[in-house]
């Protein structure tokens, strides 16, 4: 069914922008599509008000794979001639090679690759700082982020896979020095992985409004929408529960069908049922896939958050996994 409305917006945390409840990712996405399909997907995202794009230069740390996905994204923007007001951008600042590769350099490269100075965007609305590995001077990270905000590279920021203690230090540093604090956390969150977002560490910040949640990897690399043996690189299996996730798919499908929905719609609706969720980040590689995902909005309105959470309570598989936000590479 074709979506005919305009998707809702929520605030991406205190001081963050109003954003659509959908966020479209770029990792292993734009470089898997033909040019006409990229144009069609981007145009449909604009039409439905879901043109919030997470775009990064993936060539550091575990992602040192010379990906062209951001280059292709920028090319598509220019081909369509979209006005800057038609879309929002969320960039990435990586900590893997920081501070040897500083944030100013990372911003320059990221913006250049998507076309700054060639008709492309000159800034992002917001960025995510992550992934967290090893020893990092958190106070200096906050100061360096502020320098980019002052420069006009972006206006707000969030974190991805930070230990709770590091995030606490970032919040305290920002408060003590009058700097911009992180306003959201991008976390693995969905039907099967809930411990970080709903646990004692991050949960308190979501509950009191300190942070908004950007739900990421809700489909477990496609497993929870029926792609039980993904052929492409997918996110880390924190806690080593992936076999259990594969085994849980039939139950996901059963619940979705009982609600008259698809597994993707159920997964997104579940994420949006969390009151702290600002938006859900997923990878859509076709208009058909985006249209299906858009149906999550009607599902949530029709069934309600409480009923969805009750029906899916048994799918929480990472209850015993360490839940302080630390990223554990495979």
């Amino acid at each position: 069914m074709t979506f005919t409305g305009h998707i809702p917006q929520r605030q991406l945390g205190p001081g963050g922008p109003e954003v659509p409840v959908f966020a479209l990712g770029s990792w292993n996405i734009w470089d898997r599509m033909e040019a006409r399909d990229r144009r069609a997907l981007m145009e449909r995202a604009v039409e439905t008000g879901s043109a919030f794009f997470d775009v990064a230069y993936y060539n550091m740390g575990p992602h040192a794979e010379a990906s062209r996905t951001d280059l292709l994204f920028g090319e598509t923007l220019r081909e369509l001639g979209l006005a800057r007001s038609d879309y929002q951008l969320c960039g990435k600042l990586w900590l893997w090679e920081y501070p040897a590769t500083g944030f100013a350099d990372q911003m320059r490269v990221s913006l250049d690759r998507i076309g700054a100075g060639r008709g492309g965007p000159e800034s992002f609305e917001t960025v995510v700082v992550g992934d967290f590995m090893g020893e990092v001077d958190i106070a200096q990270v906050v100061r360096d982020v502020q320098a980019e905000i002052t420069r006009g590279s972006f206006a707000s920021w969030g974190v991805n896979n930070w230990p709770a203690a590091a995030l606490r230090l970032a919040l305290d540093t920002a408060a003590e020095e009058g700097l911009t604090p992180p306003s959201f956390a991008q976390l693995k969150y969905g039907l099967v992985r809930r411990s970080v977002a709903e646990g004692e560490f991050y949960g308190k910040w979501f509950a009191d409004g300190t942070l908004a949640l950007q739900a990421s990897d809700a489909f477990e690399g496609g497993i929870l929408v029926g792609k039980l043996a993904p052929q492409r690189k997918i996110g880390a299996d924190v806690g080593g529960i992936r076999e259990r996730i594969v085994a849980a798919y039939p139950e996901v499908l059963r619940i979705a069908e009982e609600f008259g929905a698809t597994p993707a719609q159920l997964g997104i609706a579940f994420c949006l049922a969390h009151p702290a969720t600002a938006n859900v980040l997923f990878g859509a590689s076709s208009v058909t896939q985006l249209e299906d995902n858009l149906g999550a909005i009607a599902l949530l309105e029709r069934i309600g958050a409480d009923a969805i959470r009750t029906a899916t309570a048994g799918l929480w598989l990472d209850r015993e996994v360490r839940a302080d936000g630390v990223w554990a590479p495979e």
Side-chain angles (χ1 to χ4, degrees), residues 1 10 24 46 54 61 63 74 83 142 153 170 172 177 201 230 234 254 259 271 280 296-297 318 323:
M1 181 180 296
R10 299 179 182 178
L24 279 71
V46 172
D54 181 284
H63 293 312
V142 177
S153 299
D172 289 346
E177 300 185 17
F201 297 99
I234 65 175
R254 183 192 67 79
F259 285 153
C271 294
V280 182
I297 296 167
D318 71 339

Side-chain angles (χ1 to χ4, degrees), residues 129-269:
V129 180
D131 289 312
F132 196 102
M133 298 178 67
E135 296 296 323
V136 177
D137 184 341
I138 297 300
Q140 191 58 47
V141 166
V142 177
R143 296 177 193 123
D144 288 349
V145 166
Q146 184 64 58
E148 290 308 302
I149 292 175
T150 301
R151 198 191 314 275
S153 299
F154 48 85
S156 64
W157 66 293
V159 301
N160 178 29
N161 301 321
W162 281 33
L167 179 53
R168 175 76 274 166
L169 179 56
L171 292 167
D172 289 346
T173 299
E176 291 166 4
E177 300 185 17
L179 307 176
T180 304
S183 65
F184 68 99
Q186 183 187 99
L187 300 174
K188 281 179 176 285
Y189 181 68
L191 291 166
V192 297
R193 295 190 190 270
R194 312 181 191 181
S195 290
V196 176
E198 298 192 15
E200 62 177 309
F201 297 99
Y202 274 79
K204 61 188 176 186
W205 289 312
F206 295 139
D208 68 13
T210 299
L211 297 172
L213 170 62
Q214 185 177 77
S216 174
D217 204 14
F219 301 148
E220 195 72 16
I223 292 171
L224 293 179
V225 294
K227 300 174 183 177
L228 303 185
Q231 299 302 303
R232 62 180 177 86
K233 185 177 180 180
I234 65 175
D237 180 17
V238 180
I241 62 171
R242 188 151 287 153
E243 288 186 6
R244 294 173 60 200
I245 292 172
V246 171
Y249 174 70
E251 179 65 5
V252 173
L253 179 61
R254 183 192 67 79
I255 297 170
E257 290 179 341
E258 281 192 359
F259 285 153
T262 65
Q265 292 166 357
L266 178 64
I268 293 172

Side-chain angles (χ1 to χ4, degrees), residues 7-322:
I7 77 166
Q9 292 199 336
R10 299 179 182 178
Q11 187 174 12
L12 194 58
E18 291 287 325
V19 299
V21 296
F22 282 12
L24 279 71
S26 63
W27 188 41
N28 290 313
I29 297 298
W30 303 105
D31 48 358
R32 289 193 293 131
M33 302 169 66
E34 298 294 333
R36 64 178 181 276
D37 297 323
R38 290 194 292 269
R39 291 191 295 270
L41 178 61
M42 197 173 290
E43 285 182 312
R44 187 59 179 144
V46 172
E47 290 172 355
T48 58
S50 55
F52 180 100
F53 300 106
D54 181 284
V55 181
Y57 174 40
Y58 295 103
N59 204 29
M60 291 185 183
H63 293 312
E65 51 202 26
S67 170
R68 298 187 69 247
T69 189
D70 55 333
L71 294 171
L72 295 171
F73 171 81
E75 287 179 11
T76 308
L77 276 183
R78 297 192 296 278
E79 288 169 2
L80 292 175
L82 296 177
R84 186 61 180 86
S85 59
D86 287 337
Y87 60 90
Q88 294 173 293
L89 294 178
C90 179
K92 284 287 202 309
L93 292 172
W94 302 115
L95 294 175
W96 294 314
E97 298 175 10
Y98 173 88
T101 304
F103 293 160
D105 286 342
Q106 291 189 45
M107 278 286 97
R108 177 184 54 77
V109 171
S110 289
L111 287 167
D112 178 69
R113 286 174 65 88
I114 60 175
R118 306 189 304 278
E122 301 290 335
S123 64
F124 296 93
E125 273 71 23
T126 191
V127 299
V128 175
V129 180
D131 289 312
F132 196 102
M133 298 178 67
E135 296 296 323
V136 177
D137 184 341
I138 297 300
Q140 191 58 47
V141 166
V142 177
R143 296 177 193 123
D144 288 349
V145 166
Q146 184 64 58
E148 290 308 302
I149 292 175
T150 301
R151 198 191 314 275
S153 299
F154 48 85
S156 64
W157 66 293
V159 301
N160 178 29
N161 301 321
W162 281 33
L167 179 53
R168 175 76 274 166
L169 179 56
L171 292 167
D172 289 346
T173 299
E176 291 166 4
E177 300 185 17
L179 307 176
T180 304
S183 65
F184 68 99
Q186 183 187 99
L187 300 174
K188 281 179 176 285
Y189 181 68
L191 291 166
V192 297
R193 295 190 190 270
R194 312 181 191 181
S195 290
V196 176
E198 298 192 15
E200 62 177 309
F201 297 99
Y202 274 79
K204 61 188 176 186
W205 289 312
F206 295 139
D208 68 13
T210 299
L211 297 172
L213 170 62
Q214 185 177 77
S216 174
D217 204 14
F219 301 148
E220 195 72 16
I223 292 171
L224 293 179
V225 294
K227 300 174 183 177
L228 303 185
Q231 299 302 303
R232 62 180 177 86
K233 185 177 180 180
I234 65 175
D237 180 17
V238 180
I241 62 171
R242 188 151 287 153
E243 288 186 6
R244 294 173 60 200
I245 292 172
V246 171
Y249 174 70
E251 179 65 5
V252 173
L253 179 61
R254 183 192 67 79
I255 297 170
E257 290 179 341
E258 281 192 359
F259 285 153
T262 65
Q265 292 166 357
L266 178 64
I268 293 172
F270 170 83
C271 294
L272 292 176
H274 192 308
T277 301
N279 58 14
V280 182
L281 174 62
F282 56 80
S285 56
S286 70
V287 171
T288 299
Q289 189 178 356
L290 176 61
E291 292 288 359
D292 181 57
N293 291 356
L294 287 164
I297 296 167
L299 173 64
L300 182 60
E301 292 174 348
R302 177 166 53 88
I303 303 299
D306 290 343
I308 289 173
R309 289 186 63 86
T310 297
T312 60
L315 293 171
W316 185 349
L317 299 182
D318 71 339
R319 289 180 185 273
E320 307 305 318
V321 175
R322 182 177 178 180

